[in-house]
Amino acid sequence: MKRGLTVYAVFAYAFLHVPLLILAVFSFNSSRFAVWQGFSLQWYRAVADDANLIESSMNSLIIAIVATGVATIIGTLAAYGLWKKGSAWLSGSLYLSLVTPEIVTGASLLALFQWIFRFAHLRLGMHTVILAHVGFSLAYVVVVVLARLRSYDRTLEEAALDLGATEFGAFWRVTLPYLVPAIAAAAMLAFTVSIDDYVITSLVAGVDSQTLPMVIYAMARRGVNPALNAVSTLVVFGLGMLIILSERLRRT
Amino acid sequence: MKLRNLFLAPTALLMAVTMLAPLAIIVVYSLLTRGAYGGVELPWTIENYSRLYDPVYAIIFLRSFWIAAVATALCLVLGFPLAMFIARSGSRKNLYLSLVILPFWTSFLIRTYAWMFLLRDTGIVNSALLALRIIREPLPLLYNDGAVILGLVYGFLPFMVLPLYATIERLDPSLLEAAADLGARPWRALVGVTLPLCAPGIRAGAILVFVPCLGTYLTSDLLGGSKTVLIGNLVQNQFTASRDWPFGAALSLALMAIAMVLLFAARRKGEELL
Amino acid sequence: MNVTVNRRTFLIGAATAAACSRGPRLNVFNWSDYVAPDTVANFEREFGIRVRYGTYESVPEMLAKVMTGNSGWDVIFPSAEYIQPMRDMGLLARLNHDWLPNLSNLDGQFQQPQWDPRLEWCVPYMHGSTGIVYQRSLVSQQGWTPRAWSDLWDARLAGKLTMLDDPPEVFAACLKTLGYSLNSSDPSQLKAAQQRAIAQKPLVRAYLNAEVRDQLVAGDVAAAQAWAVTAAQAISAAPDKLAFAFPSDGFPRYADNVAILRESGRQEAAHQFINYLLRPQVAAAIVETTRTAACNGAAQRYLPKALRSDPVLYPPAEILARGEWFTPQSAAGQRLRDRLWTEIKT
């Protein structure tokens, strides 16, 4: 079965990555359109010149990093708390968060902010976007961490308590290490969801908080633009290098 | 218990602000009337809900459910072996996991465009098939429900793989050894032992995929040629082009209610998702 | 596109911007791809005002942000049929013509447009029409040319036809084949138009906006309902393959205008920006990059001859006379149209 799995995995990874490779190939196309017409770096130059694109990429990164950090920490704590003793209304609202279509979440958040801004003289901006991102990432983090907790042995913590640990100590020293793979998975999920989000972000972003998906959607709606190919190729290979690097470091 | 309350507090606060308060506003909006140019105004009315009793909307709901269900099933079938592979890959687990996530750090829109590229009449798939003389005319691979489902599966596969991996990873290998000792062949062990034990992960993944698929609209617009209206398109339309927030609010609540009913029905004792 | 000049201009602009980082700032919200690469940078350099430039894809999207009266944007670009509603919502600031000396550069037909006869609220920016883009091979191989909207119901186009994913546009085409006004809110007329759209649907490959350009050039699509700007871009990429027709049964005309939001605290800077856009050279540069038709008549002099006489962007007056402007819909009319559109798509 191991061999069969490996073969399957090869096809699965091909399915996942081939479209990206095609994107990358066409980012070097000298023509604007989908017909190959020669090698060119012009689109990468266009990206470097486009201040809007660069600024929005920075915004996206900042938002994703902050939102992921906050959501992962808060969500892990919440999952632990729920595992200790459930809370119907908290579970219910997290459920709701998963069930609500993005457009509804976005529109309702916008309505809420508009209400608040009548009294508080604030504006839409990075803070509203980050708040929204943390809000919708939380449920994902809680689900993943809680799934792992469900198969965790409660008696381990009890044993720690019997041996004199504080409640927090038991959590920190005993349970948390067990949760690390789930936390890592949850963080990755939260980051993915945040950096890729278009609908909610476009509704609650302010003048200063354009994100990459927003710029991309704007360009893409007007027709395929190889500059986008260039951007995504840069992002993917940049991150790819980072991941491979961290793997190397981890193993030394 | 004090620790537990402390741990829950930040999430509780955030949920109240980002989920419950907006939800309350949506409920209020659904009972108001559409303003002349958008926005909401008095008088109070239940007309937005009575509009829902139109068979047009039932058809839309059913089609959206069907597409989401098929996409979810495919994600499960395709994602499970992949999750197993990653869980068993020893020291390279994180690398393989990251390779699943990596494509999804690019814009969803770009990845969708990449598929349009591949599936077009003059795209690579058709060109290859034509060159190999397997077909004589280009196949209409794009702009139909199949393309939409493909796009959804491609978009949501990691949401299935991650929870599955988290569950498989902690499976006790001795259970599988026991099954082998008792004479079960690998396939039988898989179906009889592994799968049932992974049920929590499967349910988590299914929900994480099914629900967003239900509310999707970009995919059906781009890969479906915008020819069919799904619930997501309908709701998005109300909040943008039509500027009919009250009706959009009523639609959203109806959608959420149906989804909650399904989730409730799929619950298992002692196995709540949250 | 001269990339070297771009980078230099950008760097100078950025340096200037950095230098006057305490200076005034203007927030401009426009359609994407609607200015030349150095339009904004040149403005920043000359006036010492930093510009934050955001883009949107549809007026409803822009409206959703701007309707609160607290969005932070100063200058916006609404389409003609939205001017009156936005004015009624109290969103627009009155324009001060003393600060807009370049207004006289506007083309004659846009000095007193029907949506704002005294130009109190907006200044027309770019305009166009909707028509039919088709493959010339239809003419040479099959011997027929699409000349009117009704030609888009021809069974020979099955699977190779696209329409715009824009309810007003699709209704406009259907209404015109029946001989009605494209702004009609008469239920019986709209229902008849809806029936036509449903009848056409099996032939339609997809409902696409600007994305169809790519497919026209590649040859996947034989005929498409398209905006003039998309058509001009497609034809310039494949001049021997594609052609454009202004439908003989009538067609929609659209115009995007620049306006200032009432909430803006930078009225003077906003006026300076509008005045700058009205300069003929600036408008000409934009037209060259984006291939739209400018409402700026004085800009014609600065355009290369090929663009100036481009039949898609600047058709002769007798053709334009067949065009009809979009006007705002009543609430009831909008409701009916939305409902009918949903049914078409189901």
Side-chain angles (χ1 to χ4, degrees):
Chain A
M1 178 175 283
K2 187 72 193 279
R3 215 174 308 147
L5 270 183
T6 315
V7 169
Y8 173 77
V10 168
F11 277 109
Y13 279 115
F15 170 67
L16 287 176
H17 289 264
V18 160
L20 281 184
L21 288 173
I22 293 179
L23 273 186
V25 164
F26 277 90
S27 70
F28 296 106
N29 187 8
S30 62
S31 151
R32 202 188 161 78
F33 297 106
V35 194
W36 181 262
Q37 267 166 30
F39 186 89
S40 162
L41 281 177
Q42 65 181 107
W43 306 114
Y44 287 90
R45 258 178 265 144
V47 167
D49 287 345
D50 191 341
N52 206 14
L53 209 55
I54 303 221
E55 186 183 339
S56 58
S57 306
M58 286 292 111
N59 287 344
S60 275
L61 269 177
I62 295 174
I63 291 169
I65 291 174
V66 174
T68 302
V70 175
T72 309
I73 294 175
I74 296 184
T76 305
L77 296 180
Y80 179 78
L82 282 177
W83 171 73
K84 276 268 184 125
K85 180 172 165 210
S87 159
W89 82 268
L90 193 58
S91 298
S93 50
L94 284 166
Y95 246 153
L96 270 180
S97 167
L98 285 177
V99 162
T100 318
E102 285 202 298
I103 183 75
V104 176
T105 313
S108 59
L109 276 172
L110 182 62
L112 176 71
F113 290 142
Q114 284 167 5
W115 261 99
I116 295 180
F117 294 162
R118 268 186 227 192
F119 311 117
H121 289 294
L122 291 172
R123 286 227 159 112
L124 293 176
M126 294 284 271
H127 46 287
T128 50
V129 178
I130 292 178
L131 183 62
H133 280 228
V134 173
F136 69 67
S137 308
L138 262 180
Y140 288 108
V141 173
V142 173
V143 163
V144 171
V145 176
L146 203 52
R148 179 133 168 118
L149 272 173
R150 294 235 183 273
S151 48
Y152 179 60
D153 190 353
R154 272 176 202 271
T155 60
L156 286 171
E157 276 210 343
E158 285 169 29
L161 289 170
D162 286 343
L163 289 168
T166 62
E167 245 195 309
F168 185 77
F171 164 72
W172 187 257
R173 293 267 188 88
V174 179
T175 313
L176 198 56
Y178 176 76
L179 289 179
V180 166
I183 295 177
M188 282 216 255
L189 194 57
F191 190 84
T192 306
V193 169
S194 170
I195 214 163
D196 204 11
D197 181 71
Y198 168 72
V199 180
I200 298 181
T201 315
S202 66
L203 287 169
V204 299
V207 168
D208 63 344
S209 37
Q210 270 226 316
T211 60
L212 192 56
M214 289 168 70
V215 173
I216 288 174
Y217 183 73
M219 292 164 85
R221 286 294 275 179
R222 288 252 162 176
V224 172
N225 186 344
L228 291 180
N229 293 37
V231 170
S232 49
T233 310
L234 286 171
V235 167
V236 171
F237 282 101
L239 287 170
M241 289 299 116
L242 263 174
I243 289 173
I244 295 179
L245 198 67
S246 67
E247 270 298 300
R248 289 268 168 85
L249 286 173
R250 205 178 62 85
R251 274 194 281 146
T252 51
Chain B
M1 274 309 125
K2 245 173 51 179
L3 186 71
R4 172 249 187 199
N5 290 341
L6 188 67
F7 277 15
L8 288 182
T11 304
L13 182 64
L14 266 162
M15 280 293 110
V17 170
T18 63
M19 198 65 232
L20 298 177
L23 189 63
I25 292 182
I26 285 291
V27 170
V28 167
Y29 276 19
S30 71
L31 296 170
L32 290 172
T33 318
R34 175 178 187 253
Y37 297 110
V40 292
E41 57 190 27
L42 296 170
W44 301 97
T45 171
I46 55 165
E47 188 209 5
N48 299 303
Y49 287 100
S50 55
R51 262 173 86 182
L52 288 175
Y53 281 95
D54 198 315
V56 162
Y57 301 122
I59 299 178
I60 295 176
F61 271 78
L62 280 173
R63 182 185 280 123
S64 310
F65 270 53
W66 165 247
I67 289 183
V70 172
T72 307
L74 279 175
C75 275
L76 183 58
V77 166
L78 294 174
F80 195 87
L82 193 55
M84 277 186 73
F85 170 76
I86 301 176
R88 292 184 187 184
S89 50
S91 58
R92 297 198 169 182
K93 258 184 251 187
N94 278 334
L95 174 66
Y96 287 139
L97 202 59
S98 308
L99 282 179
V100 171
I101 302 291
L102 194 56
F104 305 93
W105 271 335
T106 52
S107 158
F108 175 73
L109 206 54
I110 290 186
R111 285 181 281 120
T112 314
Y113 262 101
W115 276 110
M116 292 171 75
F117 226 54
L118 286 173
L119 296 178
R120 286 159 54 215
D121 284 3
T122 49
I124 296 187
V125 173
N126 268 317
S127 305
L129 290 175
L130 280 169
L132 292 172
R133 314 233 173 202
I134 300 178
I135 52 172
R136 250 180 263 146
E137 283 266 323
L139 293 173
L141 295 171
L142 202 52
Y143 300 138
N144 50 45
D145 283 353
V148 175
I149 292 177
L150 177 62
L152 288 173
V153 170
Y154 188 68
F156 289 108
L157 197 54
F159 293 93
M160 178 63 79
V161 169
L162 282 179
L164 281 180
Y165 159 76
T167 323
I168 296 177
E169 202 259 345
R170 61 94 197 145
L171 275 183
D172 187 353
S174 61
L175 287 169
L176 285 173
E177 281 174 27
D181 287 342
L182 288 169
R185 274 186 255 139
W187 184 251
R188 187 77 212 282
L190 176 71
V191 173
V193 179
T194 316
L195 271 180
L197 284 173
C198 289
I202 293 178
R203 271 188 255 280
I207 289 182
L208 283 178
V209 174
F210 184 79
V211 171
C213 282
L214 205 53
T216 187
Y217 73 91
L218 284 176
T219 316
S220 76
D221 261 359
L222 297 172
L223 291 175
S226 197
K227 281 197 286 194
T228 50
V229 164
L230 297 180
I231 305 180
N233 302 101
L234 196 59
V235 172
Q236 191 254 355
N237 235 346
Q238 304 314 311
F239 284 121
T240 55
S242 307
R243 283 172 279 142
D244 193 347
W245 285 53
F247 185 54
L251 268 176
S252 319
L253 288 173
L255 174 61
M256 283 165 59
I258 295 182
M260 291 294 280
V261 164
L262 284 176
L263 288 171
F264 194 78
R267 246 176 30 165
R268 295 283 180 278
K269 253 262 132 98
E271 210 197 73
E272 274 86 50
L273 193 55
L274 285 162
Chain C
M1 190 157 50
N2 191 336
V3 179
T4 329
V5 172
N6 263 348
R7 188 175 298 149
R8 206 179 334 138
T9 312
F10 167 67
L11 284 174
I12 294 176
T16 319
C20 55
S21 59
R22 294 278 180 86
R25 191 189 241 301
L26 191 65
N27 295 325
V28 176
F29 204 22
N30 196 356
W31 296 83
S32 49
D33 281 349
Y34 234 12
V35 288
D38 52 2
T39 307
V40 172
N42 288 342
F43 174 79
E44 286 182 322
R45 198 163 23 126
E46 183 175 330
F47 289 83
I49 301 175
R50 262 202 318 163
V51 173
R52 179 182 294 286
Y53 191 78
T55 61
Y56 53 83
E57 282 314 300
S58 67
V59 179
E61 189 188 320
M62 180 263 287
L63 262 183
K65 287 291 176 79
V66 151
M67 227 156 57
T68 60
N70 189 21
S71 65
W73 295 107
D74 302 306
V75 178
I76 51 170
F77 291 76
S79 311
E81 66 269 24
Y82 285 94
I83 296 294
Q84 186 227 318
M86 288 183 79
R87 185 201 67 204
D88 290 344
M89 282 195 270
L91 292 173
L92 300 178
R94 228 178 245 280
L95 294 179
N96 183 342
H97 286 203
D98 295 334
W99 284 343
L100 296 173
N102 289 338
L103 263 185
S104 48
N105 288 337
L106 279 178
D107 192 86
Q109 58 175 313
F110 293 110
Q111 294 271 359
Q112 291 169 329
Q114 63 185 74
W115 56 89
D116 189 13
R118 286 189 296 254
L119 290 182
E120 293 176 285
W121 306 100
C122 67
V123 174
Y125 179 62
M126 297 285 165
H127 71 110
S129 318
T130 315
I132 305 174
V133 188
Y134 60 93
Q135 303 280 349
R136 284 186 199 268
S137 55
L138 275 181
V139 183
S140 52
Q141 287 167 15
Q142 296 182 34
W144 74 292
T145 320
R147 288 234 180 278
W149 291 122
S150 43
D151 285 329
L152 294 184
W153 270 254
D154 193 308
R156 284 175 284 188
L157 288 172
K160 292 194 166 282
L161 164 72
T162 67
M163 299 287 283
L164 284 169
D165 190 17
D166 192 85
E169 295 281 2
V170 173
F171 274 117
C174 297
L175 285 165
K176 281 302 178 190
T177 62
L178 296 166
Y180 301 135
S181 156
L182 47 84
N183 289 306
S184 167
S185 50
D186 180 299
S188 57
Q189 290 181 357
L190 283 175
K191 292 214 175 96
Q194 182 206 28
Q195 290 309 312
R196 294 237 65 198
I198 294 179
Q200 189 197 37
K201 207 173 154 197
L203 301 171
V204 174
R205 176 189 170 82
Y207 289 94
L208 296 174
N209 289 338
E211 307 90 83
V212 74
R213 180 185 64 192
D214 200 5
Q215 303 190 30
L216 281 166
V217 172
D220 292 348
V221 171
Q225 179 192 33
W227 293 312
V229 53
T230 314
Q233 290 169 356
I235 293 175
S236 74
D240 336 306
K241 285 170 71 172
L242 299 171
F244 183 78
F246 288 90
S248 56
D249 32 15
F251 53 87
R253 299 187 63 191
Y254 62 85
D256 294 315
N257 307 267
V258 52
I260 304 178
L261 286 175
R262 176 119 73 97
E263 63 170 85
S264 164
R266 307 179 188 101
Q267 301 280 332
E268 198 178 334
H271 278 86
Q272 283 177 322
F273 187 69
I274 297 179
N275 201 44
Y276 166 78
L277 287 176
L278 282 170
R279 287 190 198 165
Q281 303 93 323
V282 175
I286 298 176
V287 169
E288 278 189 70
T289 326
T290 61
R291 302 216 169 249
T292 62
C295 299
N296 190 323
Q300 295 277 56
R301 254 199 352 253
Y302 294 85
L303 291 176
K305 186 152 194 297
L307 268 183
R308 212 184 311 160
S309 52
D310 187 327
V312 177
L313 295 178
Y314 296 103
E318 60 268 18
I319 292 188
L320 274 185
R322 293 202 305 258
E324 193 181 340
W325 294 101
F326 279 118
T327 57
Q329 291 289 318
S330 63
Q334 186 63 48
R335 271 266 207 114
L336 180 59
R337 279 164 171 252
D338 290 340
R339 173 52 205 265
L340 294 174
W341 179 251
T342 308
E343 282 175 19
I344 293 174
K345 289 266 199 105
T346 307

